[in-house]
Amino acid sequence: MVTTAFELPGYRIKTNFGIVRALLWRSRSIVGNFLGGLQTIIGGNITIYTDLCERAREEASRSWRATRRR
């Protein structure tokens, strides 16, 4: 069983994987979507979307840390 809760009544926690990172969704511009579409035709990793997700993840992480400091 996988959970983000700190405890589950009636269960013993065997493994803790640490902090769960959140995603903050962003959208691409029409040019970015066009380039991403071209990459899907060629195949492989769609770097324009991967980079976008990583930047959004970092922003969400910074926001979370700032909230914890308050």
Side-chain angles (χ1 to χ4, degrees):
M1 181 182 304
V2 176
T3 181
T4 58
F6 291 112
E7 61 184 41
L8 285 173
Y11 291 91
R12 187 174 133 276
I13 297 174
K14 292 171 62 174
T15 305
N16 182 336
F17 294 103
I19 296 174
V20 176
R21 293 177 18 169
L23 284 178
L24 179 67
W25 290 101
R26 298 282 184 187
S27 63
R28 296 291 322 167
S29 68
I30 195 163
V31 173
N33 284 331
F34 176 75
L35 294 174
L38 288 178
Q39 281 188 312
T40 60
I41 293 169
I42 297 168
N45 186 15
I46 306 171
T47 56
I48 198 158
Y49 292 121
T50 304
D51 294 342
L52 180 67
C53 283
E54 280 301 318
R55 283 197 314 270
R57 186 177 289 132
E58 282 301 316
E59 185 178 330
S61 183
R62 279 194 306 273
S63 176
W64 179 78
R65 284 192 302 270
T67 301
R68 285 194 60 196
R69 281 183 250 157
R70 291 183 193 166

